[in-house]
Amino acid sequence: MVEKALLLDLDELSEKYKEFIQFYTDESGEPIYRKSLGQMIEDQRNSLNVDWEHLYNFNSEFREIAEDIIIHPSAHMKAGSAALKDLVSDLLGDLVREDRYRIYSKGRFHLRFYNIPTKASLRDVTKFSIGRLVEIGGIITRVSAIYDKLVRAVFVCTNPECGRIESVDIIGGKFRPPERCPECNSPMRFDHELSEFVRWRSVRIQERPEDLPPGMMPEHIDGVLLDDLVDEVKPGDRVKVTGIIRIKPARGEERGSEGPIYRRYLEVIHADVPNRIYEKLEITPEDEEDIWKLASKDGLEELIVKSIAPSIFGWIEVKRAIAYALFGGSTKFLLDGSKVRGEINILMVGDPGVAKSQLLKYTSQLAPRGLYTTGKGSTAAGLTAAVVRDSTIGGWTLEAGALVLADRGVACIDEFDKMNEDDRRSIHEAMEQQTISIAKAGIVATLNARTTIIAAANPKKGRYDDYVSIAENINLPPTILSRFDLVFIMKDRPRPEADNMVAEHILITRMGRNPEAKPPIDPPLLKKYIAYARQNIDPILTEGAARKIKEFYIEMRKPSVSSEEEREPTFETIAITPRQLEALIRLSEARARMHLRKEVTEEDAERSIQLVKIMLEGASYDVVSGMLDITGLMTGVSFPAVKRRELVFQMIRDLAEESEDGTVDRELVVKKAAEKLNLEHKEYVIEDILRKLNEDGLIIFPPGGKIRLLEG
Ligand code: ADP
Ligand code: MG
């Protein structure tokens, strides 16, 4: 049962392919396929890739052959493989007597066609006939383990006198084992060692997030990879695959039986993993001209900032930070082989209803390779990756989460604090090393997650509490918090003047009469501009910029040194840490890249410093003491807060020593502590501290408004 190819039978077709491989030359007269055949043998590989257009343009006869490939792909694969096998034997000649070449030349060979004219979108695959060859683009989300697929079953007669061998080629899924030996009528036994298997792996190819029509669920199709192709792809890869449309019974996961319902899959014959390509965004020479014209505009930065979610009023510095993150800094590879990420991570923490979600959604549309998701993620893999059971693909499969899918792109993650426990453990690696390692159920893999993260989180008590640190405000450990370059606190506090403006802005925008709600830069152009800058511009730090950053760094660390005499030495305030230094470099690079400049100027450094200062004022300003402090961000407890707590505790101890029964009057403690800390009218801060001391098991509250120390 061999499929009939157009006009020619398989042997004739095979001869044609030999002719093509040997004699095709490109424009400069290079016999490119003869050369790659030589290389294939040298590397002992088994596949030769053929550009379909080359076949089509070889000569008039090949035009028909090429057209027929689309309709009868299996026959052509077979003929092509036979041709390749013959050529390999011919070329090896006497060398075949050597062991390694003998085994190699007896292996399977594949002529793999790519760049075919039938390009389908994942949504359209169902419109093509079964058996057709199509090319689709997508992203690999799941990968099964490698299995062996039986392609030739061999049976041996169980009668030792007879020993007859029968072999059956497996075409399609099913085959009939010979029950009795045709010679002596004894039972036959399936022989594993004599039978032939190929490596088999199933993958899930899903629509790329950026191709997804807004609000739609991504479509997917399973693909089967055979033989040497099984090693080609991993989750998160953006691929272009060429494959034959096949069907198999849709085994109802719940029914476990076969019905008349079938599901399509692709038997992949070629897989291309284009690397640094923003495949959807073609930048034409005209676009390039527009991009450079835009770059030379006065006030470019403000134009870009204003083009981010223009319907949202205010939050200019947050938008600026997002703009910098969209461009990103340069990734550096150090001499010792380690890597410093260039991607900028931003977190917005804030009250409900301050437009965090809106900002994220808008950003995900604007970013090349942007993706919007929530901390819970849209699949079992969540934000990072997971090993899950999949009955359609088979057994345990590795599934990529949002950060892997947005590799080399921007992941906008809402409700970041709601991520699952597995993600909480693996996100540290993802945010700094930009890889995700997984080892579970026999699957061991490291996936790339070179992803810019723009995230939003809500305070756990509903509203942001000024009197505790950021880490205490949200449900995230400081280890994760510290991996954000910038953390913005977005508070919704009534301010009549601003409220008036926001209301005005929202109302006239809704009425369609707000000129400011229109982005000054057309979003498609801005998207291309960002993609172009990210691909082509890699700014380097100049001496001047480096000096500025260093000066700021030293200046910011100073207060902790100079104030030592005034305060107990244990309570130093550290305003800024080395992580912020790296963040500053990234931000400065991003600003240079935004201007399509190859050098990071002093101005870039100054602007980034300004942004960090504004961020620090919001994020680390200790409202109670008025001191700038970032340790709260890093350790979860801000230093002035620690100091206050120590002081209150010490006060209770002193008072308890003086008292007769060891208890202290609660009101008295609150009053005295508030006086000492200049917190009159803010007594609730002290109450808060008392509550925490109680939670930590250091004090208890006996009846009668008392406090007693729990010592021991
Ligand atoms: P969050 O995610 O912070 O809880 P949302 O993004 O859901 O908030 O915003 C709530 C609504 O309020 C949205 O419709 C948003 O457009 C509107 N809104 C809030 N702040 C602003 C603002 N500064 N300008 C315009 N609209 C705003
Ligand atoms: Mg929200």
Side-chain angles (χ1 to χ4, degrees):
M1 195 198 79
V2 168
E3 264 182 88
K4 188 92 188 89
L6 180 97
L7 301 171
L8 306 164
D9 68 24
L10 285 190
D11 289 340
E12 288 170 308
L13 199 52
S14 180
E15 288 305 314
K16 287 285 160 203
Y17 281 122
K18 282 191 209 168
E19 179 191 331
F20 172 80
I21 294 167
Q22 288 176 293
F23 302 112
Y24 178 86
T25 55
D26 66 2
E27 305 91 73
S28 57
E30 282 278 302
I32 50 175
Y33 290 107
R34 202 158 69 211
K35 281 178 102 172
S36 38
L37 176 67
Q39 192 63 47
M40 180 188 95
I41 294 174
E42 207 175 299
D43 302 344
Q44 301 222 354
R45 279 180 295 109
N46 297 66
S47 292
L48 187 73
N49 299 325
V50 171
D51 186 335
W52 183 88
E53 278 187 16
H54 291 167
L55 278 170
Y56 187 80
N57 293 323
F58 189 39
N59 60 39
S60 61
E61 197 182 0
F62 269 86
R63 184 162 299 210
E64 279 181 60
I65 292 177
E67 278 170 355
D68 192 52
I69 291 176
I70 309 302
I71 304 163
H72 300 114
S74 304
H76 286 267
M77 283 290 288
K78 214 168 224 160
S81 303
L84 208 50
K85 194 162 189 153
D86 283 352
L87 286 175
V88 169
S89 300
D90 288 354
L91 274 174
L92 283 174
D94 284 348
L95 282 174
V96 222
R97 274 192 231 119
E98 282 180 35
D99 258 1
R100 60 186 191 121
Y101 283 118
R102 198 182 60 242
I103 295 164
Y104 170 64
S105 68
K106 290 233 169 78
R108 309 182 149 265
F109 290 91
H110 313 278
L111 199 62
R112 302 190 178 278
F113 308 105
Y114 70 97
N115 194 23
I116 59 166
T118 36
K119 300 187 198 310
S121 87
L122 236 151
R123 279 176 191 267
D124 287 341
V125 170
T126 46
K127 295 181 187 152
F128 286 84
S129 320
I130 290 154
R132 282 294 155 84
L133 194 64
V134 291
E135 178 190 300
I136 58 166
I139 186 162
I140 302 287
T141 54
R142 288 189 181 187
V143 171
S144 77
I146 298 174
Y147 294 84
D148 283 291
K149 184 189 175 189
L150 183 63
V151 287
R152 189 184 179 82
V154 174
F155 297 86
V156 181
C157 180
T158 48
N159 175 3
E161 313 262 284
C162 170
R164 181 178 166 124
I165 291 176
E166 284 282 302
S167 60
V168 184
D169 279 332
I170 317 292
I171 298 165
K174 300 212 168 87
F175 67 99
R176 270 182 88 84
E179 275 164 27
R180 296 265 154 194
C181 174
E183 202 116 327
C184 67
N185 211 27
S186 309
M188 306 227 27
R189 143 185 91 74
F190 177 46
D191 189 301
H192 297 208
E193 280 169 32
L194 294 177
S195 296
E196 263 180 65
F197 295 89
V198 290
R199 294 200 294 157
W200 178 100
R201 165 145 49 206
S202 182
V203 298
R204 175 163 293 178
I205 308 160
Q206 185 172 304
E207 268 181 294
R208 287 172 290 231
E210 64 269 27
D211 293 347
L212 201 60
M216 300 282 259
M217 287 289 287
E219 291 277 339
H220 67 83
I221 188 167
D222 290 342
V224 165
L225 307 179
L226 295 173
D227 210 3
D228 50 350
L229 277 186
V230 301
D231 305 315
E232 294 286 304
V233 300
K234 59 178 192 303
D237 279 347
R238 274 142 209 274
V239 292
K240 227 191 270 170
V241 299
T242 308
I244 305 167
I245 301 176
R246 303 249 186 244
I247 50 166
K248 63 182 170 199
R251 202 187 294 268
E253 274 164 49
E254 51 299 315
R255 288 176 292 134
S257 64
E258 287 177 15
I261 312 298
Y262 285 72
R263 168 122 182 124
R264 286 174 182 232
Y265 71 96
L266 276 190
E267 181 186 321
V268 177
I269 65 159
H270 184 270
D272 190 11
V273 187
N275 232 345
R276 289 185 57 101
I277 304 177
Y278 283 88
E279 55 284 341
K280 271 292 276 183
L281 278 180
E282 263 197 47
I283 294 172
T284 63
E286 293 89 75
D287 289 334
E288 207 175 325
E289 218 170 274
D290 289 345
I291 286 167
W292 282 98
K293 212 152 71 195
L294 181 57
S296 64
K297 275 202 175 157
D298 282 342
L300 168 75
E301 178 169 342
E302 298 317 308
L303 289 179
I304 292 176
V305 170
K306 280 191 184 142
S307 298
I308 292 175
S311 63
I312 303 300
F313 178 83
W315 300 127
I316 292 299
E317 298 311 320
V318 178
K319 290 182 184 182
R320 191 185 310 281
I322 290 174
Y324 287 6
L326 286 176
F327 286 91
S330 346
T331 300
K332 286 170 208 72
F333 295 91
L334 307 181
L335 292 176
D336 64 1
S338 57
K339 184 184 108 172
V340 181
R341 72 177 152 96
E343 283 75 11
I344 294 168
N345 298 327
I346 294 177
L347 177 66
M348 301 180 251
V349 184
D351 293 336
V354 294
K356 301 183 298 296
S357 300
Q358 291 288 335
L359 273 169
L360 286 181
K361 283 189 185 135
Y362 195 95
T363 306
S364 71
Q365 302 278 319
L366 189 60
R369 283 197 185 176
L371 172 150
Y372 173 88
T373 184
T374 69
K376 289 199 192 83
S378 44
T379 63
L383 294 180
T384 55
V387 173
V388 292
R389 256 202 190 284
D390 184 324
S391 61
T392 65
I393 279 191
W396 293 103
T397 61
L398 178 57
E399 177 165 325
L403 294 183
V404 179
L405 298 186
D407 180 34
R408 291 181 190 279
V410 179
C412 298
I413 306 169
D414 211 345
E415 321 260 326
F416 188 72
D417 47 317
K418 308 274 189 318
M419 75 177 113
N420 66 42
E421 285 308 312
D422 285 338
D423 281 343
R424 260 169 209 271
R425 276 189 290 276
S426 41
I427 203 149
H428 296 95
E429 179 195 353
M431 291 184 76
E432 205 65 69
Q433 278 71 47
Q434 304 199 302
T435 52
I436 291 162
S437 306
I438 198 153
K440 220 188 222 170
I443 294 182
V444 179
T446 298
L447 306 175
N448 282 322
R450 294 155 291 187
T451 313
T452 299
I453 299 176
I454 304 182
N458 288 311
K460 59 183 170 203
K461 291 187 212 151
R463 297 223 132 232
Y464 196 83
D465 182 351
D466 286 333
Y467 292 96
V468 298
S469 72
I470 299 180
E472 283 172 88
N473 256 296
I474 56 173
N475 185 23
L476 282 177
T479 45
I480 293 179
L481 268 180
S482 71
R483 282 168 168 81
F484 284 98
D485 296 277
L486 295 170
V487 179
F488 287 95
I489 312 288
M490 296 165 75
K491 283 178 249 182
D492 182 22
R493 297 290 132 92
R495 287 156 304 161
E497 207 170 307
D499 290 344
N500 194 14
M501 279 154 79
V502 173
E504 185 84 347
H505 186 93
I506 292 178
L507 289 169
I508 62 174
T509 306
R510 294 292 187 278
M511 290 185 276
R513 281 198 270 117
N514 188 1
E516 282 184 21
K518 188 182 168 300
I521 304 169
D522 209 22
L525 173 63
L526 183 52
K527 193 170 187 164
K528 283 181 184 169
Y529 187 95
I530 295 166
Y532 181 86
R534 287 178 75 130
Q535 281 173 68
N536 296 296
I537 312 289
D538 252 332
I540 32 180
L541 214 59
T542 57
E543 289 273 335
R547 198 177 50 241
K548 283 268 180 240
I549 292 174
K550 194 174 146 200
E551 279 168 12
F552 172 71
Y553 180 69
I554 295 189
E555 184 61 33
M556 290 304 280
R557 286 184 71 96
K558 237 183 214 158
S560 56
V561 182
S562 69
S563 55
E564 228 163 285
E565 309 102 54
E566 298 144 41
R567 279 188 266 143
E568 295 98 306
T570 38
F571 303 123
E572 283 176 25
T573 305
I574 303 167
I576 189 168
T577 72
R579 259 192 221 264
Q580 273 72 49
L581 187 69
E582 280 183 1
L584 270 173
I585 298 170
R586 280 192 277 273
L587 291 166
S588 310
E589 286 167 348
R591 189 177 182 273
R593 196 179 246 174
M594 175 191 277
H595 291 85
L596 303 188
R597 256 190 276 103
K598 303 249 184 236
E599 287 193 336
V600 181
T601 61
E602 281 182 42
E603 193 194 347
D604 293 330
E606 274 163 13
R607 289 306 189 84
S608 307
I609 288 167
Q610 220 174 347
L611 185 60
V612 168
K613 274 185 178 162
I614 290 166
M615 185 281 290
L616 283 175
E617 273 162 26
S620 335
Y621 198 70
D622 183 84
V623 187
V624 183
S625 71
M627 271 189 288
L628 210 55
D629 168 34
I630 201 157
T631 42
L633 204 58
M634 300 296 142
T635 59
V637 190
S638 74
F639 265 61
V642 170
K643 183 183 154 106
R644 284 196 292 275
R645 181 183 144 115
E646 283 287 308
L647 193 138
V648 172
F649 189 54
Q650 192 56 48
M651 186 175 280
I652 297 170
R653 254 199 227 145
D654 294 347
L655 289 171
E657 226 157 77
E658 290 164 20
S659 90
E660 294 186 348
D661 58 355
T663 63
V664 187
D665 193 52
R666 183 165 174 169
E667 239 169 77
L668 180 75
V669 173
V670 173
K671 189 168 163 281
K672 282 193 119 182
E675 250 167 50
K676 180 123 192 202
L677 288 164
N678 285 327
L679 286 173
E680 287 103 342
H681 311 300
K682 288 186 190 161
E683 279 83 8
Y684 57 93
V685 177
I686 312 296
E687 285 291 352
D688 228 37
I689 294 171
L690 291 178
R691 214 178 46 241
K692 289 216 179 71
L693 287 172
N694 172 250
E695 276 169 18
D696 293 347
L698 293 166
I699 58 172
I700 50 167
F701 303 123
K706 298 284 186 189
I707 300 174
R708 182 196 292 277
L709 286 169
L710 274 182
E711 227 116 27

